[in-house]
């Protein structure tokens, strides 16, 4: 695979080591879609020393809040977040799933109270083996198959 | 020892071996006592009717001297006017010292417990959990088999939709040397999710189709419901293959026991009732001491 150069950003966030193919989902979490006014760079299936292939997303001028980082952790648990100031990485950390995911993941069980008109916000608890369990109906979901509220 | 005072009882998953044994030990010794819970009120919120569960919770409360308020089925209540579960629970917590809830939506009992300031017992949330049923099943097995370790247990019939067998199988993973024989038609097998996520590596299990009851300590029968089948012929054929009659019972060990969460609709021939192994009516009766034990533990810690 040929080396691909991805230009640097001045101020903002780089989400690196995203599992190959998932960058469009990360863009969706960041609210980057048709009509987005800022600048952003997405690279898909680029060479990675760690994972063979990876995706990268760079967003100019955005510093992510906790909820956004949690959402990224759900779909791309091996991703790293780099904070960029004046073209330099000033902070770098791996994403981490919080103990409870509140209001982020849809419950796949249609008969769950969170899918009823009662209007209960979903709560999911991460479990071993890459699974999330619904706090209410106890349905388990594979992290790779979760559906998020965007 | 866990302090049960004020505890919610929502899911059998929340209970480990020690907690289960605590409930069963209390259930084995508890006697009716009109002074134990005198002055306490239970709100019995049955958004779906249920004969055994509702009556045995009410009986348990009254045998300990408490009182019961509530409804069974939503006809004639404000729920028909669109009152939310949240508001119903917030009202009930002010009228009562404990809430027992049955509701068709999965997760409703956990939600009620999160919302309520008083303890909540789940009496069935859709297809999810019904922990007091599982506890009374375990209590019945312990009482007649004398132990909960090293048992060979057959589960028969609808293992796909049957909430009681899912919870019982999951609870049995707390005990040692359990062997499960899962007997069902292919279309009603135990869901792979339960087999793989809950049972594998914790209990030994086999899946078969024939009603082979040899060597079992416990035969747990379930109801096969017609609405699970697309066509009537298939239903009749499958139903007929999993009927426990005197002939089938000849395979049973003398000390084996037959359980069924009831109501039964033909899967146990009434002639079987007179066999010494038939324990399903005792099982139903055990709902009262087990629920008395839960109430006593939650209110008094003993």
């Amino acid at each position: 695979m040929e080396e691909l150069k991805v230009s640097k950003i001045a101020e903002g966030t780089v989400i690196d080591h995203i599992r190959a193919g998932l960058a469009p989902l990360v863009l969706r979490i960041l609210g980057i879609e048709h009509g987005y006014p800022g600048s952003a760079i997405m690279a898909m299936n680029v060479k990675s020393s760690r994972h063979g292939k990876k995706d990268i997303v760079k967003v100019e001028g955005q510093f992510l809040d906790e909820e956004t980082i949690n959402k990224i952790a759900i779909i791309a648990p091996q991703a790293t977040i780099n904070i960029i100031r004046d073209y330099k990485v000033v902070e770098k950390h791996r994403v981490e799933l919080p103990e409870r995911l509140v209001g982020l993941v849809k419950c796949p069980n249609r008969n769950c109270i969170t899918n009823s008109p009662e209007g209960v916000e979903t709560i999911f608890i991460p479990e071993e083996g890459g699974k999330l369990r619904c706090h209410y109906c106890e349905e388990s979901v594979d992290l790779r198959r979760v559906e998020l509220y965007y | 020892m866990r302090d049960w005072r004020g505890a919610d009882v929502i899911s059998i998953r929340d209970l480990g071996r020690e907690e289960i044994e605590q409930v069963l030990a209390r259930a084995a010794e508890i006697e009716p006592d009109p002074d134990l819970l005198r002055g306490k009120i239970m709100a019995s919120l049955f958004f779906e009717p249920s004969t055994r569960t509702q009556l045995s919770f009410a009986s348990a409360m009254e045998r300990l001297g408490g009182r019961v308020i509530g409804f069974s089925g939503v006809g004639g209540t404000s729920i028909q006017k669109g009152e939310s579960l949240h508001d119903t629970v917030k009202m009930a917590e002010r009228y009562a010292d404990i809430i027992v809830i049955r509701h068709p939506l999965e997760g409703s009992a956990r939600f009620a417990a999160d919302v309520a300031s008083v303890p909540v017992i789940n009496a069935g949330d859709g297809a999810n959990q019904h922990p007091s049923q599982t506890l009374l099943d375990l209590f019945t097995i312990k009482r007649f088999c004398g132990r909960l370790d090293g048992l060979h247990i057959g589960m028969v019939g609808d293992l796909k939709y049957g909430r009681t067998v899912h919870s019982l199988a999951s609870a049995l993973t707390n005990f040692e040397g359990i062997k499960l024989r899962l007997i069902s038609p292919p279309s009603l097998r135990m869901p792979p999710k339960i087999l793989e996520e809950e049972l594998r590596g914790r209990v030994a299990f086999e899946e078969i189709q024939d009603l082979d009851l040899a060597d079992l300590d416990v035969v747990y029968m379930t109801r096969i419901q017609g609405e699970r089948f697309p066509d009537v012929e298939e239903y009749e054929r499958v139903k007929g293959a999993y009927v426990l009659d005197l002939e089938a019972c000849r395979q049973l060990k003398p000390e084996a026991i037959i359980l069924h969460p009831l109501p039964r609709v033909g899967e146990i021939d009434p002639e079987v009732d007179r066999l010494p192994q038939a324990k399903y009516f005792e099982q139903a009766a055990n709902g009262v001491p087990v629920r008395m034990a839960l109430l006593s533990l939650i209110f008094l810690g003993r």
Side-chain angles (χ1 to χ4, degrees):
Chain A
M1 192 165 40
E2 221 170 290
E3 195 76 30
L4 179 76
K5 287 276 178 246
V6 186
S7 17
K8 291 188 165 184
I9 56 168
E11 302 273 327
T13 307
V14 173
I15 302 136
D16 200 356
H17 301 292
I18 301 165
R19 185 151 58 88
L22 292 179
L25 283 180
V26 173
L27 292 182
R28 196 166 163 197
I29 290 168
L30 298 174
I32 298 173
E33 52 188 4
H34 181 73
Y36 180 71
S39 51
I41 300 163
M42 174 183 81
M44 292 183 74
N45 299 311
V46 298
K47 217 153 115 187
S48 154
S49 47
R50 252 199 263 164
H51 306 293
K53 284 192 293 178
K54 64 174 182 179
D55 288 5
I56 307 172
V57 169
K58 303 187 176 193
V59 214
E60 189 77 54
Q62 267 205 49
F63 299 96
L64 311 182
D65 59 21
E66 204 183 317
E67 186 179 311
T68 309
I69 294 176
N70 288 345
K71 282 186 184 175
I72 293 171
I74 296 168
I75 64 137
Q78 61 283 83
T80 52
I81 308 274
N82 301 280
I83 309 291
I84 312 292
R85 305 258 185 213
D86 193 22
Y87 296 100
K88 291 200 177 66
V89 178
V90 294
E91 214 182 286
K92 181 171 184 165
H93 53 90
R94 297 189 72 151
V95 296
E96 211 177 319
L97 275 179
E99 276 173 36
R100 290 155 74 90
L101 297 163
V102 181
L104 301 182
V105 177
K106 273 185 207 171
C107 185
N109 174 8
R110 292 176 58 174
N111 206 33
C112 177
I113 184 100
T114 60
N115 287 320
S116 77
E118 192 75 28
V120 181
E121 214 174 22
T122 63
I123 299 176
F124 276 83
I125 321 285
E127 282 191 352
E128 295 198 359
K131 296 200 187 293
L132 298 177
R133 194 173 293 279
C134 175
H135 165 70
Y136 294 105
C137 76
E138 308 187 358
E139 179 88 4
S140 81
V141 206
D142 198 311
L143 265 172
R144 285 168 300 186
R145 290 196 190 83
V146 295
E147 205 183 326
L148 297 177
Y149 290 108
Y150 288 102
Chain B
M1 280 290 213
R2 164 168 171 186
D3 185 359
W4 280 83
R5 273 171 301 181
D8 300 311
V9 181
I10 305 301
S11 169
I12 200 74
R13 290 167 180 283
D14 301 337
L15 306 180
R17 177 174 185 139
E18 195 185 339
E19 280 100 7
I20 290 171
E21 287 180 336
Q22 237 178 316
V23 177
L24 304 194
R26 182 66 177 123
E29 54 147 43
I30 199 164
E31 296 282 340
D33 176 352
D35 293 318
L36 205 65
L37 300 182
R38 188 185 293 282
K40 300 290 186 198
I41 295 176
M42 168 197 284
S44 172
L45 312 183
F46 276 64
F47 293 80
E48 275 180 337
S50 136
T51 319
R52 252 162 303 281
T53 307
Q54 191 207 348
L55 290 180
S56 64
F57 264 115
S59 169
M61 190 65 179
E62 304 225 358
R63 285 197 191 285
L64 297 179
R67 308 278 305 264
V68 182
I69 59 173
F71 56 82
S72 177
V74 297
T77 68
S78 291
I79 293 139
Q80 266 190 335
K81 300 174 197 156
E83 183 165 44
S84 67
L85 174 58
H86 173 273
D87 291 1
T88 307
V89 169
K90 291 311 277 179
M91 169 200 70
E93 73 175 13
R94 288 161 168 86
Y95 296 169
D97 305 294
I98 191 166
I99 293 172
V100 174
I101 183 172
R102 168 168 291 202
H103 193 283
L105 289 177
E106 285 118 46
S108 52
R110 182 75 68 187
F111 174 64
D114 289 352
V115 163
S117 58
V118 299
V120 173
I121 301 179
N122 182 7
D125 61 326
N128 185 33
Q129 286 278 334
H130 185 5
S132 62
Q133 173 73 45
T134 309
L135 289 166
L136 80 87
D137 291 343
L138 293 170
F139 179 74
T140 308
I141 295 170
K142 175 91 191 277
R143 193 174 137 203
F144 291 111
C145 300
R147 66 190 197 280
L148 286 168
D149 294 304
L151 290 173
H152 198 171
I153 296 174
M155 298 182 167
V156 181
D158 177 1
L159 307 185
K160 184 173 183 182
Y161 301 98
R163 173 182 61 193
T164 52
V165 285
H166 299 167
S167 293
L168 181 58
S170 164
L172 286 167
T173 62
N174 285 294
F175 298 91
E176 306 293 327
I178 297 290
K179 286 196 276 184
L180 295 181
R181 185 180 299 163
L182 305 171
I183 306 168
S184 74
S187 57
L188 294 177
R189 284 177 54 202
M190 184 79 81
K193 224 171 177 169
I194 295 182
L195 295 179
E196 298 308 322
E197 287 179 20
E198 316 226 354
L199 306 186
R200 187 164 308 278
R202 299 189 179 98
V203 298
F205 63 84
E206 58 173 340
E207 295 186 88
I208 62 169
Q209 289 181 44
D210 293 335
L211 194 59
D212 171 6
L213 309 177
D215 306 321
L216 294 175
D217 300 302
V218 178
V219 178
Y220 198 102
M221 297 293 295
T222 63
R223 194 163 71 246
I224 294 182
Q225 286 162 296
E227 59 267 29
R228 308 292 190 204
F229 288 85
D231 75 287
V232 180
E233 256 176 58
E234 169 73 359
Y235 168 58
E236 291 299 333
R237 196 183 61 75
V238 164
K239 197 176 69 166
Y242 300 93
V243 170
L244 196 57
D245 53 17
L246 288 178
E247 176 63 27
C249 286
R250 287 168 62 181
Q251 306 172 66
L252 290 175
K253 294 198 290 191
E255 69 275 19
I257 61 170
I258 305 164
L259 302 182
H260 189 303
L262 303 180
R264 62 173 162 180
V265 284
E267 54 280 343
I268 301 179
D269 188 325
E271 282 193 326
V272 171
D273 295 358
R274 62 182 165 78
L275 295 183
Q277 291 102 331
K279 300 296 185 203
Y280 28 90
F281 292 118
E282 278 93 338
Q283 179 189 7
N286 286 339
V288 177
V290 166
R291 288 169 178 129
M292 281 163 64
L294 281 175
L295 293 169
S296 171
L297 284 164
I298 293 169
F299 278 115
L300 308 168
R302 62 181 162 86

